[in-house]
Amino acid sequence: QVQLVESGGGLVQAGGSLRLSCAASGSIFSINAMGWYRQAPGKQRELVARISSGGSTVYVDSVKGRFTISRDNAKNAVYLQMNSLKPEDTAVYYCNANLRRRVGDLFYEYWGQGIQVTVSS
């Protein structure tokens, strides 16, 4: 089994910061891209940021310049530093990893359980 466990969410005032962490554990051979998605009430899940195994990053326009994604390949972990938070950043944030469990396997997407981030105005 593979588990992705998020931590670091919570309630923060507008303009504040939070750092989300996600660690993948279990039977893992290699991880390709890792990322963070979010889903606000009544909205579809959207990509927030994604980072390749080589460190290339992609961000949704609304968080560029405020959020930074990073990863620690030795720990199978991905992080999201969120600064200058806005009320519209309020959502459940999900960790995602594209990984394979054994050599020769296909890569599959795995998801964390989600963590709440609430930004008050």
Side-chain angles (χ1 to χ4, degrees), residues 8-18 20 41 82 85-93 115-121:
L11 173 65
V12 65
Q13 287 190 330
S17 298
L18 284 174
L20 303 183
M82 306 185 292
L85 282 160
K86 304 176 181 180
E88 50 264 44
D89 295 316
T90 295
V92 176
Y93 284 69
I115 191 164
Q116 180 70 45
V117 171
T118 303
V119 184
S120 63
S121 57

Side-chain angles (χ1 to χ4, degrees), residues 25 31-32 35-36 44 50 53 58 66 70 74 85 96 105:
S25 62
I31 302 178
N32 190 4
W36 291 94
Q44 289 191 332
R50 198 160 174 86
S53 56
V58 174
R66 300 188 297 122
S70 60
L85 282 160
N96 168 270
D105 277 2

